[in-house]
């Protein structure tokens, strides 16, 4: 073997372990118990033991992983959303559902294929407040309640000019309005309606005519610092593709949203 060929062979041998481990991680069967971490976000992520089931996105995740070849279990921990992101960043959790892309999250998450296209936001105010919100400009000067750690449309936040009240979760954000600590709360349509009903606030809050559609897709997010994430992500993508082909995602959504 001449010197040039010998150097090329040595270089390939030096690089091979890194390539091999990456290929193996991506192609190896997904096994072992995965830790799914998320906040309570009904009906997408229901509280533990909820009579209607685990929630739309938890069921989608379970079914997709099973179809994609994951042979292990899934353990769920319900924690505040900011803590869920912290656990994923540290690699102490494997994945989450119902997550939107951001450059900050991209530092520590790998993204599945999208399984939901966009979301519709609704706005609630106190009953009898006299507010009538029909366009984004009507939010100007109002105190907006949001859930900490969530990503909200920039166009909405610009209108309130920093007058934002942060809550621990969606239910607490809704209650800020009912308790007059905020003027209006922004919620995704399904989750907001569930919380208003669950808290018994239907007669005490008004849903405003204003709506805002955010076309950004929804993903499953896998921790880059979890040794199980590459294989689990491959299983998730294969399973989601199968579910989209046969309409299973729509079937699961209809079970919860009637």
């Amino acid at each position: 073997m001449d010197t040039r060929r010998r150097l090329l062979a040595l270089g390939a041998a030096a690089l091979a372990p890194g390539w091999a481990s990456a290929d193996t991680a991506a192609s190896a069967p997904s096994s072992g118990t995965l830790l799914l971490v998320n906040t309570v976000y009904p009906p997408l992520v229901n509280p533990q033991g909820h009579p209607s089931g685990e929630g739309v996105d938890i069921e989608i995740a379970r079914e997709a992983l099973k179809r994609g070849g994951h042979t292990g279990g899934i353990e769920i921990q319900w924690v505040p959303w900011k803590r869920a992101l912290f656990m994923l960043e540290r690699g102490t959790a494997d994945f989450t559902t119902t997550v939107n892309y951001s450059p900050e999250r991209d530092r520590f998450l790998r993204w599945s294929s999208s399984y939901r296209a966009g979301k519709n936001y609704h706005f609630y105010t106190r009953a009898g407040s006299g507010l009538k919100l029909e366009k984004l400009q009507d939010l100007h000067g109002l105190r907006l309640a949001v859930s900490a750690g969530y990503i909200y449309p920039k166009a909405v936040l610009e209108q309130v000019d920093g007058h934002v009240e942060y809550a621990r979760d969606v239910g607490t954000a809704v209650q800020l309005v009912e308790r007059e600590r905020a003027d209006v709360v922004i919620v995704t349509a399904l989750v907001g309606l569930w919380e208003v009903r669950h808290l018994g606030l239907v007669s005490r809050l008004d849903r405003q005519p204003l709506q805002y559609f955010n076309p950004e897709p929804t993903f499953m997010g896998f921790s880059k610092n979890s040794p199980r994430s590459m294989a689990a992500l491959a299983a998730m993508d294969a399973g989601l593709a199968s579910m989209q082909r046969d309409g299973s995602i729509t079937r699961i959504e209809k079970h919860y949203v009637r």
Side-chain angles (χ1 to χ4, degrees), residues 191-223:
V191 175
L193 179 60
W194 191 95
E195 287 288 0
V196 170
R197 289 175 174 173
H198 175 71
L199 295 168
L201 297 177
V202 173
S203 64
R204 305 189 65 176
L205 295 175
D206 288 334
R207 201 191 107 191
Q208 292 290 330
L210 174 64
Q211 297 184 42
Y212 187 88
F213 181 73
N214 183 355
E216 293 182 5
T218 300
F219 305 93
M220 308 285 184
F222 289 78
S223 172

Side-chain angles (χ1 to χ4, degrees), residues 171-185:
T172 309
V174 170
Q175 289 173 318
L176 288 179
V177 172
E178 192 267 335
R179 295 170 182 172
E180 302 188 25
R181 292 176 54 191
D183 301 307
V184 56
V185 61

Side-chain angles (χ1 to χ4, degrees), residues 67 241-253:
R67 290 194 188 194
S242 171
M243 294 177 73
Q244 287 170 336
R245 284 193 299 270
D246 69 11
S248 294
I249 291 177
T250 300
R251 172 182 54 78
I252 292 172
E253 290 175 341

Side-chain angles (χ1 to χ4, degrees), residues 60-89:
I60 291 173
R62 284 192 184 278
E63 178 68 14
L65 284 168
K66 180 180 177 181
R67 290 194 188 194
H70 175 66
T71 59
I74 299 174
E75 177 187 343
I76 305 174
Q77 284 188 18
W78 294 264
V79 297
W81 180 237
K82 290 186 74 173
R83 178 161 181 79
L85 292 174
F86 176 79
M87 293 173 69
L88 291 162
E89 184 172 6

